[in-house]
Amino acid sequence: MSENILHRLRELSVAEQLGQLKKATDRDVLNEWLQSGVKFTSTGGRLEETYYNALSKLFDCIVPTMGDAPVLHEGGIYLGCWMESTGTINNELLSRFLPTVSEDTFELFADYQKEDGQLPYKVTENGPAFRQIQMVTPLARSVWNHYELNGRNQAFLRKMYEAMVRHDTWLATYRDTRNTGCVEAFCTFDTGHDLSPRFWHVPDSAHLDDARQFNPDSPTLPFLAPDLTANVYCQRLYLSRMAEELGDEHAASEWRVKAGISLDSLFAHCFDESDAFFYDRDRNDEFVRVQSDVLLRVLACEVGDGEFFAASLRKYLLNTSKFFAKYPFTSVAMDDPRFDPFSSYNTWAGTSNFLSLIRTPHAFEYHHRYVELTWVLNPIVTALAQMTRFAQTVSPWTGKEGYTESYSPAILCLLDFVERMCGIVPRPDGELWFTSLLPYPQDHGEVMAAETGYSRIVDGMTFEFVTTSEGSTVYRNGKAYLQIPIGTRAVTDRSGQLKAIIGMSVRTIEGTVTYEGRDIPLLVKGNEGVELLEGRFVSVRDVGVIYPTYR
């Protein structure tokens, strides 16, 4: 069977799958995709067909804007690039596939920065817009990961670093009116939380469309916002890395101090110890007690240690009365009376959103919670495999797609989740991940992919990865050299040299890894990392598995 899927992978033509290109710039985008060597195939199910439908719609989202270079658009009704999504997490994922498009998209925000330091919250064909800040994923983290993954272009890094330094000053000047060290929300759109009960009775946009002002007659504004504050905390951590990379040790040290101040302010003002949850604090010093995806946003900003993250999983993220719906994660806790499950309009009042989903892996993987992440990957890949429009929202009950279409976060979610589940992931730290999992037929027993094949070119070497129900085989430049059991992940360097195995199943995997002609016994628990040392596997990390809860 594996030989059949390997042959299918090698014979597959991405250009033929896409068919006739729709615009002149698509040819250059396709050529860059082909340079990545990324191809995907599967048998028994509809995942392959959906994958290339998604790729075609991704090309529709890559459009020249304010110049000749094609850049990523949000897609659907959103004609342009948004800082909270397109310019950060979307672009961070796109960087693994189309780094030139990604870099040009990042630079849009620096190119159109205002003289006072404010970065645009979006850039469209009509130019930059500034009436709110709309920050979620830290821009610096996305820029840094792109930089490390794609050749370490210092001119690009310096340009983005200097723009973000100016923006940090702007935020400190205009978004800390209460002198708490937190970043303040002046309107709903500052965090992109359209229709969320978090912002009931708060204007959608800033006062007089000026991001430096809030409605002076509001009974609640400004909010001390945990997600905005966590964003700046994480932003400053990565600005420290950039300063160090650019040779400014003094600035690097200052950024670390500033990051610490942001973290202290976050916990001092926005964390309720009795609930172990992060809330906005309004002008009257009251917590805005709406449990929302703010928690996931804060955790994705690298706030808290492993123990803190595990507690958040138990109490909230893996709790089926809170956020762990059949198709997770909901944008408001399900036991909140204000929870709204409907997904047919642009809403963050309850339904699951693809932007939340693509922000999720970093939060989990940062704390080595790989197994728990698969409980998100599997239902969402199952839902995505049946989609035709690629909407912004997905029903937490049924997995059916909701509002809008050709939405790049949903498209990139499919590309990203397939690669994390059964593909080849190049990492900013120089590792490659080969994960031996298949989508489990959970919905009505319908198979989405019985076996899969994935390829990618890394530093001139072609890697092919074939997965069946019995395990996976890695080919390097056409030759098989590594075999791993199903339910595991192989971690290699960029040349494919095996470094470690990670347990990707809740059960303990016992079997054999075949590497360069040698059979090596393997025993690995869920989330456990075992390194290959002197010809045998040695456990180096074992955080255990956190199980779902129900109340």
Side-chain angles (χ1 to χ4, degrees):
M1 293 286 283
S2 61
E3 291 182 2
N4 291 336
I5 193 74
L6 179 63
H7 177 75
R8 183 185 178 102
L9 177 66
R10 289 175 174 174
E11 291 297 310
L12 186 144
S13 165
V14 173
E16 289 179 6
Q17 291 286 333
L18 291 176
Q20 186 172 356
L21 300 176
K22 299 176 184 176
K23 53 187 182 296
T25 54
D26 284 351
R27 175 57 56 186
D28 289 340
V29 176
L30 174 59
N31 287 338
E32 182 164 27
W33 184 278
L34 296 177
Q35 288 171 22
S36 75
V38 171
K39 293 195 288 184
F40 171 72
T41 189
S42 64
T43 62
R46 60 186 78 177
L47 188 55
E48 179 185 313
E49 178 184 354
T50 306
Y51 184 94
Y52 289 103
N53 182 27
L55 183 57
S56 175
K57 292 182 185 297
L58 178 64
F59 276 45
D60 294 342
C61 296
I62 297 173
V63 184
T65 302
M66 303 295 290
D68 296 329
V71 295
L72 182 65
H73 279 209
E74 191 77 357
I77 67 160
Y78 306 103
L79 303 178
C81 308
W82 265 254
M83 171 68 75
E84 68 155 331
S85 47
T86 334
T88 49
I89 187 59
N90 299 17
N91 227 12
E92 187 174 332
L93 300 184
L94 187 71
S95 181
R96 302 207 305 262
F97 306 96
L98 297 168
T100 301
V101 176
S102 179
E103 190 158 304
D104 288 338
T105 308
F106 280 130
E107 289 189 334
L108 272 182
F109 293 90
D111 289 341
Y112 292 98
Q113 185 173 33
K114 289 175 70 173
E115 287 187 7
D116 67 0
Q118 185 186 0
L119 290 171
Y121 79 88
K122 71 174 180 179
V123 179
T124 72
E125 61 182 6
N126 297 318
F130 298 94
R131 70 174 185 171
Q132 63 240 20
I133 55 176
Q134 207 152 338
M135 306 185 321
V136 182
T137 298
L139 175 61
R141 190 196 88 196
S142 297
V143 166
W144 178 257
N145 286 341
H146 169 84
Y147 169 78
E148 284 208 304
L149 190 60
N150 294 290
R152 306 177 78 89
N153 178 352
Q154 283 216 354
F156 163 76
L157 186 70
R158 184 173 295 279
K159 175 179 180 177
M160 296 304 299
Y161 171 77
E162 291 174 352
M164 290 183 287
V165 168
R166 292 192 294 271
H167 187 63
D168 184 271
T169 300
W170 185 92
L171 288 170
T173 302
Y174 297 108
R175 287 305 185 102
D176 186 17
T177 64
R178 294 161 63 179
N179 297 314
T180 63
C182 294
V183 180
E184 295 166 355
F186 287 179
C187 62
T188 303
F189 292 163
D190 274 343
T191 67
H193 262 141
D194 304 47
L195 297 186
S196 172
R198 173 189 183 188
F199 286 109
W200 281 357
H201 311 295
V202 168
D204 282 343
S205 57
H207 187 57
L208 303 177
D209 284 345
D210 182 349
R212 299 169 299 180
Q213 299 187 52
F214 60 89
N215 177 13
D217 298 315
S218 169
T220 58
L221 290 177
F223 285 178
L224 308 182
D227 45 353
L228 296 179
T229 304
N231 177 297
V232 168
Y233 159 70
C234 190
Q235 182 88 354
R236 287 171 166 178
L237 289 181
Y238 281 85
L239 287 174
S240 175
R241 295 189 191 186
M242 293 179 184
E244 194 169 27
E245 179 78 1
L246 295 169
D248 192 339
E249 293 289 345
H250 177 71
S253 177
E254 287 190 331
W255 285 120
R256 287 191 289 271
V257 171
K258 288 181 178 180
I261 293 171
S262 292
L263 186 63
D264 291 344
S265 299
L266 172 67
F267 278 95
H269 298 284
C270 298
F271 186 67
D272 180 10
E273 292 188 3
S274 63
D275 285 351
F277 206 90
F278 294 95
Y279 299 108
D280 299 294
R281 195 182 283 271
D282 74 7
R283 70 182 295 170
N284 308 304
D285 217 30
E286 294 284 339
F287 279 132
V288 182
R289 291 190 179 277
V290 177
Q291 291 183 348
S292 71
D293 66 305
V294 159
L295 174 64
L296 184 59
R297 293 179 173 197
V298 170
L299 294 172
C301 288
E302 304 177 9
V303 170
D305 59 14
E307 184 178 340
F308 185 88
F309 187 74
S312 297
L313 289 182
R314 291 188 188 96
K315 189 163 186 175
Y316 292 107
L317 295 182
L318 296 183
N319 185 336
T320 63
S321 69
K322 292 292 186 181
F323 297 99
F324 198 41
K326 182 176 182 181
Y327 300 91
F329 289 107
T330 58
S331 48
V332 168
M334 289 176 281
D335 62 356
D336 189 307
R338 294 159 291 196
F339 172 76
D340 172 12
F342 293 104
S343 57
S344 58
Y345 46 91
N346 174 22
T347 173
W348 289 81
T351 191
S352 300
N353 273 262
F354 277 106
L355 263 176
S356 281
L357 286 162
I358 61 175
R359 293 167 181 150
T360 296
H362 185 77
F364 279 66
E365 291 168 353
Y366 184 74
H367 297 289
H368 311 291
R369 292 292 169 186
Y370 309 109
V371 172
E372 294 88 343
L373 180 60
T374 67
W375 305 337
V376 180
L377 300 182
N378 196 80
I380 296 302
V381 168
T382 299
L384 281 163
Q386 303 175 76
M387 292 187 179
T388 58
R389 290 188 290 108
F390 301 101
Q392 170 184 329
T393 58
V394 57
S395 167
W397 303 156
T398 68
K400 300 302 181 186
E401 54 191 323
Y403 178 72
T404 201
E405 61 186 350
S406 298
Y407 186 61
S408 67
I411 295 165
L412 288 162
C413 185
L414 176 60
L415 302 185
D416 179 55
F417 281 19
V418 163
E419 194 162 89
R420 290 179 192 277
M421 179 176 278
C422 53
I424 307 167
V425 180
R427 302 281 299 167
D429 59 8
E431 292 180 345
L432 300 179
W433 287 356
F434 300 82
T435 307
S436 181
L437 294 173
L438 291 169
Y440 189 83
Q442 199 151 311
D443 290 2
H444 306 286
E446 185 173 352
V447 173
M448 295 298 131
E451 49 188 12
T452 61
Y454 201 93
S455 69
R456 180 180 271 283
I457 296 172
V458 180
D459 299 338
M461 288 177 288
T462 298
F463 291 93
E464 296 159 320
F465 186 56
V466 171
T467 300
T468 72
S469 60
E470 297 179 352
S472 300
T473 302
V474 184
Y475 299 80
R476 183 173 52 195
N477 292 333
K479 295 181 179 180
Y481 80 101
L482 173 61
Q483 294 172 317
I484 60 175
I486 195 79
T488 66
R489 168 177 286 162
V491 179
T492 78
D493 65 15
R494 287 180 66 89
S495 69
Q497 296 299 304
L498 182 62
K499 297 171 62 177
I501 298 289
I502 296 170
M504 297 296 294
S505 170
V506 70
R507 62 187 171 88
T508 298
I509 303 295
E510 185 173 6
T512 302
V513 171
T514 301
Y515 176 55
E516 294 184 337
R518 293 178 293 129
D519 289 343
I520 309 171
L522 174 70
L523 185 70
V524 62
K525 293 180 285 186
N527 289 327
E528 185 180 12
V530 294
E531 286 189 2
L532 182 61
L533 298 172
E534 297 180 353
R536 64 188 185 94
F537 290 114
V538 177
S539 181
V540 294
R541 183 183 59 252
D542 185 5
V543 299
V545 175
I546 304 297
Y547 295 94
T549 56
Y550 306 98
R551 56 188 302 174

